[in-house]
Amino acid sequence: MKVGNFIKPNQYSYSSKDKWEYIYYLDTGNITENRIDEIVKLNPLTDKIPSRAKRKVKKGNIIYSTVRPNQKHYGYVDKQYDNLLVSTGFVVIDVNEDIADGKYFYYWLTQEKNTNYLQTIAENTVATYPSIAPKDIENMSIELPALDIQRKIAKILSNYDDLLENNNKRIKILEEMAQKIYKEWFVDFKYPGHETATFKDTELGRIPSDWEVKTLKDTIDSIKETIKPGEHLKNLRYVPIDCIPRKSFFLTTSESYKNAQSSLILFKKSDILFGNMRSYFHKVILAPFDGITRTTCFVLRPKVDNYRSWVFLTMFQDSTVAYSSRNSKGATIPYSFWEDGLAEMKVIFPSTKIIKAFNDIINPMLENIQQGYFKQENLKQTRDLLLPRLMSGEINVEDLEIA
């Protein structure tokens, strides 16, 4: 049947007449493959509400970005949020649960073949960006099994997503631990041996006497190993800025080298990728593999390898991102620059002894986070191999008891 027989898009919109005391807002760039990076809380009386904050969302809805479907900014709302709005860049889908299980349809819609189908439609539009309309989803054809079969299939796939979410939570704990230790040692100066430390006055305030004030360029190299697209990149993964999460160390997705078209830079495992386009989005990660990105990211490498953990956490700080943003140029799309820009930022550089002690603690955490990418990929690949076989009936679940 046609998908439009059991879905209704964009049913409810927000207006000032609703008079909500607060709004939770989710933009298209803040969710990828059902993983939310950030939901912003806004006060309509004191905050500027984005003009695109219009679509109301409730439990059981599917949200699907209409721009560039291949970037996979979509998700399933599996709990009730109070006062949640999403961008008009999403189509918000209501599913008639008498005909189709909402989560089953979410998994069906987000299959690779359907993503590619919608991407093809998007690329043939005359819009500024490759985009689809709700009717493009409504016009798709689907073979629906019985509802009980749909629910069993959805449950199997949900179990994999639960494993993915548990991995995310474990990584989040490691991120928070690393951030806390960095703050204690290098912001609050409560590092091992601080009790007997003496201090001196500097342009950045009082710091331990054996520490220094340096610029980022004193400790970091900006790597500009450019390369052309082509088959010679086939063993490398592509990490454009859109794949990098906001305010998280943890890379959860990457793209095929085939999507890498221009302005490409090579990076090595454990290089720092720092988003320099709209740097206020706070996109900073430690690369878990060798790969390629675009010039919308700085590829940064510590001059001394043993300083890597301290350098990465320093680059991840809000203050570093804010400096980059303040020194950006460009009216329409602000870009940060390394030379005569972020490279000149002054930082408090600890003693070698303290940096080594910090790295000894933090390196295993960062390695664990990097390895989390591969665990995530293995889980996703297994789920994605099962998905079409379950959907097609090749794997029969009728007699299975699903917990």
Side-chain angles (χ1 to χ4, degrees):
M1 68 172 71
K2 291 289 186 183
V3 167
N5 289 347
F6 60 86
I7 73 164
K8 291 183 179 180
N10 302 331
Q11 289 297 287
Y12 306 104
S13 296
Y14 173 79
S15 74
S16 57
K17 294 179 182 178
D18 287 300
K19 296 183 179 179
W20 287 357
E21 293 183 6
Y22 59 90
I23 291 169
Y24 286 107
Y25 175 59
L26 178 66
D27 205 348
T28 51
N30 283 350
I31 185 170
T32 304
E33 294 186 277
N34 210 31
R35 181 173 184 258
I36 295 173
D37 293 329
E38 182 181 24
I39 296 178
V40 180
K41 186 176 183 179
L42 302 169
N43 183 331
L45 297 178
T46 58
D47 298 319
K48 180 176 174 57
I49 307 301
S51 60
R52 289 160 62 89
K54 295 291 185 187
R55 306 255 194 258
K56 289 182 179 178
V57 176
K58 62 183 178 64
K59 183 178 179 180
N61 283 163
I62 296 164
I63 55 176
Y64 196 100
S65 174
T66 57
V67 176
R68 296 190 179 95
N70 65 338
Q71 291 184 354
K72 302 182 179 181
H73 297 311
Y74 51 64
Y76 179 84
V77 183
D78 58 2
K79 63 181 179 180
Q80 186 63 47
Y81 291 88
D82 292 333
N83 297 5
L84 177 62
L85 298 180
V86 298
S87 166
T88 52
F90 287 112
V91 54
V92 178
I93 299 171
D94 268 302
V95 178
N96 183 342
E97 295 277 348
D98 292 332
I99 298 174
D101 179 81
K103 206 151 198 184
Y104 174 90
F105 177 65
Y106 165 76
Y107 286 121
W108 180 89
L109 180 63
T110 57
Q111 289 181 93
E112 196 71 25
K113 67 175 184 179
N114 289 329
T115 298
N116 293 339
Y117 169 77
L118 292 171
Q119 178 66 22
T120 300
I121 292 175
E123 289 170 354
N124 287 303
T125 62
V126 293
T128 306
Y129 300 105
S131 58
I132 59 170
K135 67 178 181 181
D136 296 318
I137 295 176
E138 292 179 275
N139 288 337
M140 296 172 77
S141 295
I142 184 173
E143 292 184 15
L144 285 175
L147 266 172
D148 64 325
I149 299 298
Q150 292 181 46
R151 290 172 183 140
K152 284 185 177 182
I153 290 172
K155 181 59 177 173
I156 292 170
L157 297 170
S158 290
N159 287 343
Y160 275 93
D161 280 346
D162 289 344
L163 291 172
L164 289 164
E165 181 58 26
N166 288 337
N167 192 41
N168 285 334
K169 289 177 180 177
R170 184 178 60 81
I171 295 299
K172 189 68 178 173
I173 290 170
L174 291 173
E175 287 184 359
E176 290 172 354
M177 288 173 60
Q179 285 274 63
K180 182 179 179 181
I181 294 171
Y182 182 92
K183 180 178 182 297
E184 285 180 352
W185 288 30
F186 306 119
V187 178
D188 301 333
F189 300 135
K190 293 181 179 178
Y191 56 89
H194 73 278
E195 299 89 348
T196 59
T198 59
F199 286 75
K200 63 184 178 183
D201 292 322
T202 71
E203 59 194 297
L204 297 183
R206 287 179 63 77
I207 67 172
S209 298
D210 56 344
W211 295 19
E212 301 177 73
V213 172
K214 293 187 177 184
T215 60
L216 288 179
K217 68 182 179 184
D218 293 329
T219 59
I220 303 172
D221 289 322
S222 177
I223 308 301
K224 298 178 180 177
E225 192 175 346
T226 59
I227 194 166
K228 293 181 179 180
E231 283 288 319
H232 57 286
L233 302 176
K234 64 183 179 182
N235 293 324
L236 297 175
R237 295 296 296 172
Y238 176 44
V239 184
I241 194 170
D242 290 325
C243 285
I244 299 176
R246 294 187 185 186
K247 273 201 164 186
S248 173
F249 304 177
F250 186 32
L251 181 69
T252 59
T253 187
S254 61
E255 296 184 8
S256 165
Y257 76 96
K258 294 178 181 178
N259 295 334
Q261 299 300 320
S262 61
S263 305
L264 304 179
I265 309 177
L266 290 168
F267 62 81
K268 298 290 187 183
K269 179 186 175 183
S270 296
D271 281 345
I272 298 162
L273 304 186
F274 187 104
N276 59 50
M277 181 180 73
R278 298 189 179 98
S279 52
Y280 50 79
F281 283 162
H282 201 134
K283 296 191 169 195
V284 187
I285 60 160
L286 199 66
F289 47 69
D290 295 355
I292 41 177
T293 186
R294 297 190 70 217
T295 51
T296 48
C297 289
F298 297 135
V299 176
L300 305 176
R301 191 175 297 163
K303 292 179 182 289
V304 178
D305 189 63
N306 287 341
Y307 294 173
R308 191 172 304 274
S309 289
W310 176 82
V311 166
F312 171 68
L313 267 297
T314 299
M315 295 307 301
F316 193 83
Q317 297 307 298
D318 288 340
S319 55
T320 307
V321 173
Y323 185 97
S324 177
S325 184
R326 285 195 305 272
N327 289 276
S328 294
K329 298 176 182 178
T332 307
I333 301 178
Y335 278 86
S336 174
F337 293 85
W338 181 251
E339 289 84 5
D340 301 320
L342 188 55
E344 301 298 329
M345 177 179 165
K346 292 183 178 179
V347 295
I348 298 168
F349 188 79
S351 67
T352 302
K353 177 182 177 182
I354 294 301
I355 287 183
K356 182 181 183 304
F358 180 75
N359 283 0
D360 287 346
I361 295 170
I362 303 301
N363 279 353
M365 294 185 191
L366 295 184
E367 181 65 29
N368 210 315
I369 291 171
Q370 288 176 302
Q371 288 303 313
Y373 169 85
F374 300 103
K375 292 178 182 177
Q376 205 83 338
E377 281 295 290
N378 288 336
L379 285 168
K380 284 194 284 189
Q381 286 172 11
T382 303
R383 181 199 61 192
D384 293 346
L385 282 171
L386 279 174
L387 198 155
R389 289 169 170 79
L390 290 166
M391 294 286 172
S392 67
E394 181 183 336
I395 299 177
N396 189 342
V397 301
E398 188 172 359
D399 296 326
L400 291 180
E401 294 293 330
I402 309 296

